[in-house]
Amino acid sequence: MRERRLSKFSVGRKLARALASDHSFRSGRIIGSMCTAPHPFAARVFSKHIEKNLGDPGLSPGAMALEAEAIRSLGGLLSLPDAHGYVVTGGTEANILALWAARERAGGRGREVVVSEAAHFSIDKAARMLGLEIVKVPLGRDRTLDPAEVEKRLSPRTIALVGIAGTTDLGLIDPIEEFSRLAVERGLYLHVDAALGGFVIPFARELGRTNRAFDFSLPGVQSITIDPHKMGMSVIPAGGILFRSRELLELVRIQVPYLSGGETALPTVVGTRSGASVLAVWALLEHLGRRGYRAAVERAYELTDFLAAEVRTIPGLNLVAEPVTNVVGIGAAAMPCERLASLLREKGWAVSLFPGHLRVVLMPHLRLKHIKKLAADLRAVASS
Ligand code: PLP
């Protein structure tokens, strides 16, 4: 730390210089992220309430009540209006809490968790933290999961299944109906990672884009991750964990006696947590409503369709999978994907690279003009 103070002006200048090289959502160049520019109303609510710490919930009974309302609202979206849960820091924290609940519920009966090889790395991280073992199910050629392959990997040591509703690499949806059947038959905990898909699939179903069930309407589903800081368009950090019952939530609560607001039981992985995030989530859910989110999802699909159609016509490029949500996976026959990615990065695109394909996520900060430019650059680099 410096000894002498620096004026706010000088600090601001240093800050601006340092951040000049950062990407911004506004540029329309961030095409590989599942996050987006926060909705201005969410940002306004967030900045107005930055002092709130819901790690000491007794200090903010009003904010806690609105969090409960937000959770009921998310629960309603996922077919369980009386779901129990919290707004957390993101999909990672939500997945950790879900697997923690699964482990506690199993009570030492086993430690294996079965999940597709497309699982987000937070599932591996959670398993390492919790002393669980992840059993990965390979994907078929079309990148989807065969339920028979899942069943083959169940053992007496299996305690949980994780289904993914919107995979990280391609936005695909696991056969969660089958997962649910297996979970009910075998008494397994089923967690659904809908970090991305939670705010997409309910509307995709209404828009006739998919008929896949993935939420609490399936009897085996015990918990769902749904991230407001992804397609929920809220401010970072904002994830969501929803449990089917209060008993499941109680499994991960820890009693804290000394807080200024009085003794309480805290369920999140973090202690001090942002009340501003929670209030921004609540406010945006109220402000946009289903109609607003449906419109955002509809726009995202328009861009997805446009980009997918363009990729089909570009010699040397291919779609790795038919898009199911707002994610387009682009493969290249004539050059390694690493080269395609670096050529695009040279042109200023912040693209996401997976083994064998590039990922473009059509998030709300993107407009048709950006995707038209991207398609033109893809065409140019594919033939270089
Ligand atoms: N689950 C899925 C399917 C994801 O794609 C991601 C992130 O992209 C996560 C969980 C983790 O979310 P976060 O980065 O908010 O912790």
Side-chain angles (χ1 to χ4, degrees):
M1 190 188 290
R2 63 175 53 249
E3 183 63 34
R4 288 165 62 94
R5 71 186 288 276
L6 201 58
S7 71
K8 288 178 203 159
F9 178 77
S10 304
V11 175
R13 245 194 1 205
K14 272 180 87 169
L15 191 62
R17 219 176 301 130
L19 302 188
S21 55
D22 290 9
H23 284 278
S24 75
F25 288 117
R26 209 174 338 107
S27 70
R29 291 280 170 161
I30 303 182
I31 52 169
S33 173
M34 281 188 176
C35 288
T36 190
H39 190 287
F41 183 54
R44 192 145 28 101
V45 173
F46 183 92
S47 53
K48 200 165 166 193
H49 299 286
I50 47 173
E51 72 166 39
K52 283 201 189 297
N53 165 26
L54 296 192
D56 195 343
L59 294 180
S60 306
M64 290 301 292
L66 293 183
E67 178 172 37
E69 214 174 292
I71 293 298
R72 283 196 294 276
S73 176
L74 293 175
L77 186 62
L78 303 176
S79 307
L80 187 68
D82 64 346
H84 300 265
Y86 285 89
V87 174
V88 292
T89 52
T92 299
E93 187 178 356
N95 285 340
I96 291 168
L97 285 168
L99 290 191
W100 185 6
R103 189 191 73 178
E104 296 303 301
R105 180 182 182 251
R109 199 166 26 84
R111 41 186 60 244
E112 288 178 6
V113 176
V114 176
V115 64
S116 113
E117 64 181 1
H120 185 258
F121 65 86
S122 55
I123 297 292
D124 294 284
K125 189 187 272 190
R128 281 169 70 174
M129 290 169 74
L130 295 162
L132 298 171
E133 290 162 29
I134 295 293
V135 177
K136 294 243 167 110
V137 186
L139 297 171
R141 264 173 199 232
D142 58 356
R143 309 279 183 136
T144 62
L145 200 56
D146 178 354
E149 292 297 316
V150 175
E151 196 160 359
K152 264 196 238 164
R153 281 160 182 83
L154 300 181
S155 83
R157 286 168 46 77
T158 308
I159 60 164
L161 288 166
V162 177
I164 313 164
T167 53
T168 306
D169 58 347
L170 290 167
L172 303 179
I173 308 171
D174 281 348
I176 294 168
E177 294 99 327
E178 296 296 322
F179 278 56
S180 172
R181 184 183 57 75
L182 285 171
V184 171
E185 271 173 25
R186 314 260 184 138
L188 301 172
Y189 186 105
L190 171 56
H191 172 62
V192 175
D193 181 355
L196 174 74
F199 272 99
V200 177
I201 302 165
F203 304 109
R205 284 165 57 91
E206 291 173 8
L207 295 167
R209 302 290 307 220
T210 180
N211 57 9
R212 302 297 288 275
F214 76 105
D215 63 13
F216 289 115
S217 59
L218 300 170
V221 174
Q222 301 300 332
S223 54
I224 301 181
T225 290
I226 173 172
D227 277 359
H229 70 196
K230 295 189 171 72
M231 277 300 284
M233 296 183 281
S234 198
V235 176
I236 297 168
I241 179 68
L242 269 62
F243 291 101
R244 180 177 285 281
S245 66
R246 175 162 291 282
E247 291 71 46
L248 289 171
L249 182 64
E250 291 301 336
L251 292 174
V252 296
R253 288 232 268 208
I254 283 177
Q255 204 66 27
V256 188
Y258 64 82
L259 297 169
S260 331
E263 173 159 358
T264 194
L266 292 179
T268 51
V269 174
V270 298
T272 299
R273 68 187 182 107
S274 166
S277 270
V278 171
L279 296 175
V281 169
W282 172 83
L284 198 58
L285 289 170
E286 285 289 292
H287 174 57
L288 292 181
R290 292 183 76 104
R291 241 185 233 182
Y293 282 107
R294 190 183 302 112
V297 167
E298 202 167 6
R299 281 196 299 274
Y301 272 113
E302 280 162 18
L303 296 187
T304 304
D305 291 345
F306 178 85
L307 180 61
E310 286 290 312
V311 170
R312 280 192 202 95
T313 67
I314 299 177
L317 299 187
N318 62 285
L319 286 181
V320 196
E322 276 308 312
V324 175
T325 57
N326 52 328
V327 180
V328 175
I330 304 171
M335 69 173 91
C337 278
E338 290 74 11
R339 178 162 160 72
L340 183 62
S342 72
L343 289 171
L344 285 173
R345 285 175 183 153
E346 278 166 26
K347 285 183 175 290
W349 296 101
V351 67
S352 172
L353 175 65
F354 283 80
H357 74 272
L358 307 188
R359 174 186 83 172
V360 179
V361 193
L362 287 306
M363 295 298 290
H365 62 276
L366 294 170
R367 300 279 172 267
L368 187 58
K369 64 177 183 193
H370 303 131
I371 303 308
K372 280 186 173 166
K373 179 86 182 76
L374 171 65
D377 281 353
L378 273 170
R379 203 172 286 279
V381 298
S383 60
S384 66

